[in-house]
Amino acid sequence: MPDGPDAPPVPRLLLVADGFAAGRAEMEAADVCRRALALVEAGVPSVMLRDHAADDAGFSAAAEALVRDLRAANPDVRLCINTRLDVALGLGVGVHVGHRGPTVAVAVAAGAASVGFSAHSATQARAAAKAGAAYVTFSPVFATRTHPETTPSGLDPLGLAARTAGVPVLALGGITPPRARLARMVGAHGVAVLSALLFAWDAERSACSFLDALADPES
């Protein structure tokens, strides 16, 4: 079901652990899993498990193992599965959907722990929220190494989505700690990050840099 009034708040930092089951060109699956675990141990509060290249059996087995390890590292870590609703339901974690997988409404009706949506416009963000999404990612805000062919939106459309969606909006695409600050300045709740966390030389330092950038200023 969508997050209710007693649900924990959406974390401001979401790691996209892409390739955790079948690997990526830059990194084998086992290394993605090790890096995701190190980042959670360093304080990253939420992780999305994504791997469009993995087959169903491989995805399911790898997700079960990684969810177990991440929960052992931090019982409060917030987890979601990209696209594969059956796996999310089986593991009792959230699901994140977009042009792949079920609709937000279908995921909500199925009883997913929470539902996120990949939006590329303010209109999409509002529609997802209306259908029951607990949060949306908005991308690509900046140029990204994973989708170099895609024209980034910049900060103004992100700000519009953040002001009008009615749910937390996480900026995605080319995000660095300084850009995370900019995203917060235009109204984003937080950020979703792939490259700047997954491929960082120092996982702990990178995680701390993002957490510092996203921290609420002291009153």
Side-chain angles (χ1 to χ4, degrees), residues 164-211:
T164 61
V167 294
V169 173
L170 304 178
L172 172 63
I175 302 297
T176 62
R179 288 173 172 175
R181 291 190 182 93
L182 292 174
R184 290 292 314 276
M185 287 175 64
V186 300
H189 175 77
V191 297
V193 183
L194 197 163
S195 297
L197 284 175
L198 206 57
F199 306 138
W201 286 105
D202 187 324
E204 184 174 1
R205 178 176 294 182
S206 183
C208 289
S209 295
F210 272 103
L211 292 169

Side-chain angles (χ1 to χ4, degrees), residues 140-156:
V141 179
F142 302 100
T144 171
R145 63 183 289 182
T146 54
H147 296 287
E149 75 287 353
T150 304
T151 302
S153 68
L155 290 168
D156 287 345

Side-chain angles (χ1 to χ4, degrees), residues 59 80-82 84-96 112-113:
F59 187 102
C80 67
I81 300 291
N82 189 286
R84 309 200 192 203
L85 178 59
D86 57 336
V87 177
L89 294 174
L91 294 173
V93 301
V95 67
H96 188 95

Side-chain angles (χ1 to χ4, degrees), residues 122-123 125-126 129 157-167 169:
T123 299
R126 289 192 296 271
L158 169 65
L160 177 61
R163 291 192 302 273
T164 61
V167 294
V169 173

Side-chain angles (χ1 to χ4, degrees), residues 9-190:
V10 174
R12 295 197 187 278
L13 178 59
L14 171 65
L15 165 66
V16 182
D18 186 65
F20 78 98
R24 299 174 50 90
E26 312 95 324
M27 185 178 284
E28 294 185 358
D31 293 324
V32 174
C33 292
R34 280 192 288 268
R35 176 50 61 92
L37 182 58
L39 287 163
V40 167
E41 291 173 340
V44 171
S46 60
V47 183
M48 178 195 300
L49 278 58
R50 187 178 81 178
D51 198 327
H52 299 315
D55 61 32
D56 290 343
F59 187 102
S60 181
E64 183 177 359
L66 185 53
V67 165
R68 181 185 61 243
D69 291 345
L70 295 176
R71 282 175 166 164
N74 176 8
D76 295 323
V77 67
R78 188 144 165 176
L79 303 170
C80 67
I81 300 291
N82 189 286
T83 302
R84 309 200 192 203
L85 178 59
D86 57 336
V87 177
L89 294 174
L91 294 173
V93 301
V95 67
H96 188 95
V97 299
H99 71 275
R100 289 183 170 93
T103 64
V104 170
V106 166
V108 170
S114 70
V115 181
F117 180 79
S118 295
H120 307 290
S121 69
T123 299
Q124 289 181 350
R126 289 192 296 271
K130 186 176 181 180
Y135 71 94
V136 300
T137 58
F138 186 92
S139 67
V141 179
F142 302 100
T144 171
R145 63 183 289 182
T146 54
H147 296 287
E149 75 287 353
T150 304
T151 302
S153 68
L155 290 168
D156 287 345
L158 169 65
L160 177 61
R163 291 192 302 273
T164 61
V167 294
V169 173
L170 304 178
L172 172 63
I175 302 297
T176 62
R179 288 173 172 175
R181 291 190 182 93
L182 292 174
R184 290 292 314 276
M185 287 175 64
V186 300
H189 175 77

